[in-house]
Amino acid sequence: MHPTNGRVNGHHRRNGTPRYSAWSLVQHGLTGAEWSRAWRAHPMRKSYDVVIVGGGVHGLATAYYLATNHGIRNIAVLEKGYIGGGGSGRNTAILRSNYLTPEGVRFYDRSIKLYERLAADLNFNVMFSQRGHLTLAHNDASLRTMHWRAEVNKLQNVDSEVIGPDKIKELVPYLDTSTTTRYPILGALYHPPGGIIRHDAVVWGYARTADANGVHIHQKTEVTGIDVEGGRVTGVQTDQGRIATPVVVNCTAGWATLISDMAGVRMPVQTFPLQAAVTEPVKPFLDTVVVSGTLHVYVSQTDRGELVFGASVDPFASYSMRGSLEFTEGVAGHVLELMPAVSKMRLLRQWAGLCDMTPDYSPIMGPTEVEGFYVDVGWGTYGFKAGPVSGEAMADCIANQRPPEIISAFGIDRFLQGRLVGEKGAAAVGH
Amino acid sequence: MMLLTCPWCGPRNSTEFRFGGESHPRPRPDAATPEEWRDYLYFATNPRGWSRETWYHGSGCRRYFAIERHTETNEHRAIDERRAAEARR
Ligand SMILES: Cc1cc2nc3c(=O)[nH]c(=O)nc-3n(C[C@H](O)[C@H](O)[C@H](O)COP(=O)(O)OP(=O)(O)OC[C@H]3O[C@@H](n4cnc5c(N)ncnc54)[C@H](O)[C@@H]3O)c2cc1C
Ligand SMILES: [Zn+2]
């Protein structure tokens, strides 16, 4: 354990947070000294005011905003593996707000705004690159959906417009925009503020600043049960012992129903694997994110030069995180239809993560019928971009004991009332 | 890749099939409450383990069938009809 104050290995720790500077970088570069830990391990307390299950971006952001916006600091984040080991460390890091419903657009737009200032808020470089996002249309039906989305977006002040093949070619010269392909490109929804981010940095930044504000992050701590007495939460059981708490927040994405089952809360969530793949690095040639719903594929180039490929979820529900040959073949074929020039590039890796799919492709957020048991789940293939706004809104919801306006459409009661928030047209492929 | 055994055609690559999701009995239209409809239409058991589900053999015999599949290992087994009948009772 490092001391929590003073100079540690040449850089400052204030309020427990190591401070990074150009000087400390040079010094560590020259001496090869170890950096002190960005978040600490604590002994587990017998009770906490709030217990958050799941150490992904949603759980950590909720802890961070509870501590910083509401002064609730006696919080535990319980993570069965390591933080960011779930979807938050496996996603393809695409951020955008050009959704289809007004409720969705408003919500994701707030998240983008928070992401834009996140590096400053956390004093941690999250490498948000707002390079622009293109969703291609290959037929009249999708072109119509693009126009629809553009109009809904503009009404919410979100920069979004439909552009034609000439403009597309200008933005992405390597794209095959000829009219002789199997699915010629008719147009695209162009969303300049969309882009990619360093997902691990987001997780680590939230963890580090939450830690500095007194939050306890317990890794390798698995929740095995939730104690409910008289319709309200009293504690959680873990493989490290019991914790008494009046508030439990379920932020476990692909594992969400397993946790809700422990509290006796049923949910409209099914777990599907989603795969992605990455190529060897090459020189920069692609500075936008390109998505094709018709071809079930999307492509971006990382700052390191690798191409990142993704697709839609696997065709059947599963908790297995294995890759499949069908995915690799499909993705490779479809990428080549879009960009024949990359045919010589080699895939380096492929992987999968678990996605908590809901019937309407919108999340489930807020209180449940069990008092003190909150959910922030249903993040499907698109929840990384929602980390900041979800953390902010869930913290507000817990501190003030009612869902704030921005998430009022996402309550679990919508499935009884038939008020679904249908986002399939904007979320099925272009995460 | 997963081999799935169609009760009519035998083992085939899973790409020949379409996943139909968990099978739940449909409520009676004349008597169902809104809660029952919600449960039937939207809610899922989503087990991590054995799941009873419907598949459609689209590129084969084009029949629907029910099967039990383990959602973590993807092992599957034909449904024991006697046990299923007991469960329904
Ligand atoms: C391949 C892929 C690509 C994606 N691309 C994008 C994208 O481009 N843009 C986007 O916005 N979203 C994308 N997503 C979706 C996004 O990754 C998720 O929606 C998001 O990361 C969910 O974050 P989370 O914090 O809710 O859950 P997670 O990060 O999954 O964290 C949940 C955590 O809960 C832990 N846990 C589970 N059970 C227990 C237990 N019993 N006790 C303790 N801890 C437990 C898990 O170990 C896990 O770490 C993608 C997902 C995948 C798989
Ligand atoms: Zn068959």
Side-chain angles (χ1 to χ4, degrees):
Chain A
M1 278 289 304
H2 293 286
T4 53
N5 274 307
R7 213 167 242 279
V8 181
N9 292 339
H11 64 287
H12 287 284
R13 243 181 198 280
R14 259 216 321 251
N15 303 326
T17 325
R19 311 242 311 158
Y20 303 118
S21 66
W23 166 240
S24 66
L25 194 65
V26 170
Q27 202 181 30
H28 278 74
L30 291 176
T31 61
E34 284 272 319
W35 292 88
S36 65
R37 293 192 176 264
W39 56 89
R40 294 159 291 177
H42 296 275
M44 202 155 85
R45 289 186 192 138
K46 289 209 160 44
S47 78
Y48 287 95
D49 294 341
V50 177
V51 168
I52 295 168
V53 191
V57 66
H58 284 263
L60 293 165
T62 302
Y64 165 79
Y65 291 107
L66 272 169
T68 54
N69 287 355
H70 305 280
I72 300 175
R73 288 159 199 261
N74 184 21
I75 302 172
V77 177
L78 307 182
E79 165 54 53
K80 74 179 162 92
Y82 55 95
I83 61 168
S88 297
R90 296 164 184 269
N91 66 85
T92 46
I94 298 172
L95 308 188
R96 64 186 178 91
S97 59
N98 57 351
Y99 276 68
L100 183 62
T101 67
E103 296 87 347
V105 176
R106 199 158 30 113
F107 175 78
Y108 292 106
D109 185 45
R110 172 72 189 153
S111 216
I112 298 299
K113 299 260 157 63
L114 288 170
Y115 264 128
E116 282 170 353
R117 45 173 250 224
L118 195 64
D121 283 354
L122 300 178
N123 184 26
F124 200 82
N125 188 358
V126 291
M127 300 185 220
F128 186 14
S129 156
Q130 295 184 281
R131 54 183 63 189
H133 181 284
L134 283 170
T135 318
L136 304 175
H138 304 263
N139 55 47
D140 290 342
S142 36
L143 203 54
R144 198 175 56 229
T145 309
M146 302 306 161
H147 279 290
W148 177 4
R149 280 168 64 181
E151 295 312 311
V152 174
N153 295 169
K154 284 178 205 160
L155 280 175
Q156 307 281 340
N157 246 333
V158 167
D159 193 356
S160 175
E161 60 172 327
V162 175
I163 59 173
D166 292 346
K167 179 86 201 278
I168 297 172
K169 189 80 185 169
E170 231 171 79
L171 288 166
V172 195
Y174 283 86
L175 213 55
D176 186 353
T177 50
S178 66
T179 50
T180 52
T181 54
R182 185 162 63 131
Y183 297 113
I185 295 166
L186 304 183
L189 185 64
Y190 180 41
H191 179 47
I196 55 175
I197 199 163
R198 184 69 209 280
H199 51 4
D200 297 318
V202 173
V203 168
W204 298 335
Y206 272 125
R208 169 174 173 269
T209 318
D211 173 274
N213 282 280
V215 172
H216 282 190
I217 297 168
H218 297 296
Q219 304 187 86
K220 295 191 186 144
T221 305
E222 179 165 3
V223 171
T224 54
I226 296 176
D227 299 338
V228 178
E229 280 164 38
R232 57 166 310 134
V233 165
T234 56
V236 296
Q237 305 285 345
T238 79
D239 58 0
Q240 309 292 320
R242 181 181 190 270
I243 301 171
T245 183
V247 176
V248 172
V249 194
N250 179 359
C251 295
T252 54
W255 299 266
T257 58
L258 304 176
I259 298 296
S260 286
D261 285 349
M262 294 175 189
V265 172
R266 299 193 58 213
M267 291 194 309
V269 168
Q270 267 190 292
T271 299
F272 283 77
L274 175 66
Q275 300 184 51
V278 68
T279 66
E280 61 191 338
V282 293
K283 283 186 179 166
F285 73 95
L286 177 66
D287 61 359
T288 52
V289 180
V290 178
V291 181
S292 165
T294 304
L295 292 174
H296 292 274
V297 73
Y298 59 90
V299 191
S300 70
Q301 188 173 22
T302 67
D303 296 332
R304 280 195 297 248
E306 306 137 323
L307 290 188
V308 174
F309 303 144
S312 33
V313 288
D314 280 4
F316 51 90
S318 176
Y319 283 86
S320 147
M321 282 191 262
R322 263 176 299 187
S324 68
L325 181 63
E326 284 92 358
F327 165 81
T328 326
E329 282 182 323
V331 114
H334 291 143
V335 167
L336 292 185
E337 281 189 68
L338 291 177
M339 288 188 215
V342 304
S343 66
K344 294 284 192 305
M345 285 180 73
R346 281 167 297 195
L347 275 190
L348 282 191
R349 295 191 296 284
Q350 97 190 75
W351 66 93
L354 299 183
C355 295
D356 41 339
M357 306 300 292
T358 62
D360 56 0
Y361 287 68
S362 283
I364 304 169
M365 303 178 74
T368 62
E369 72 256 28
V370 173
E371 218 184 311
F373 184 70
Y374 294 82
V375 291
D376 170 28
V377 301
W379 290 112
T381 61
Y382 41 80
F384 195 79
K385 68 178 71 61
V389 68
S390 305
E392 184 187 55
M394 288 307 295
D396 185 341
C397 182
I398 292 158
N400 298 312
Q401 296 183 17
R402 67 178 156 67
E405 163 62 23
I406 194 154
I407 60 166
S408 56
F410 301 138
I412 195 167
D413 49 349
R414 76 176 183 273
F415 297 95
L416 186 58
Q417 296 155 354
R419 284 187 296 107
L420 272 60
V421 188
E423 281 291 3
K424 188 167 183 182
V429 177
H431 318 316
Chain B
M1 181 160 133
M2 174 172 80
L3 269 186
L4 199 67
T5 308
C6 168
W8 319 102
C9 312
R12 299 290 183 91
N13 190 338
S14 67
T15 50
E16 290 189 8
F17 301 85
R18 205 175 69 210
F19 177 60
E22 294 174 12
S23 4
H24 297 294
R26 181 170 152 161
R28 277 183 43 184
D30 52 344
T33 63
E35 283 78 6
E36 282 167 344
W37 277 122
R38 172 200 58 189
D39 292 6
Y40 173 67
L41 289 172
Y42 302 127
F43 278 12
T45 315
N46 199 28
R48 182 182 190 167
W50 289 100
S51 171
R52 185 195 163 95
E53 45 196 38
T54 306
W55 286 76
Y56 171 61
H57 196 181
S59 311
C61 60
R62 307 177 108 199
R63 289 207 230 197
Y64 287 88
F65 61 95
I67 201 167
E68 280 179 346
R69 182 177 61 97
H70 194 286
T71 59
E72 203 158 30
T73 61
N74 287 334
E75 289 169 273
H76 58 279
R77 59 194 183 202
I79 285 185
D80 180 338
E81 279 309 333
R82 191 173 44 84
R83 245 194 30 221
E86 265 164 26
R88 275 197 293 272
R89 223 180 290 129

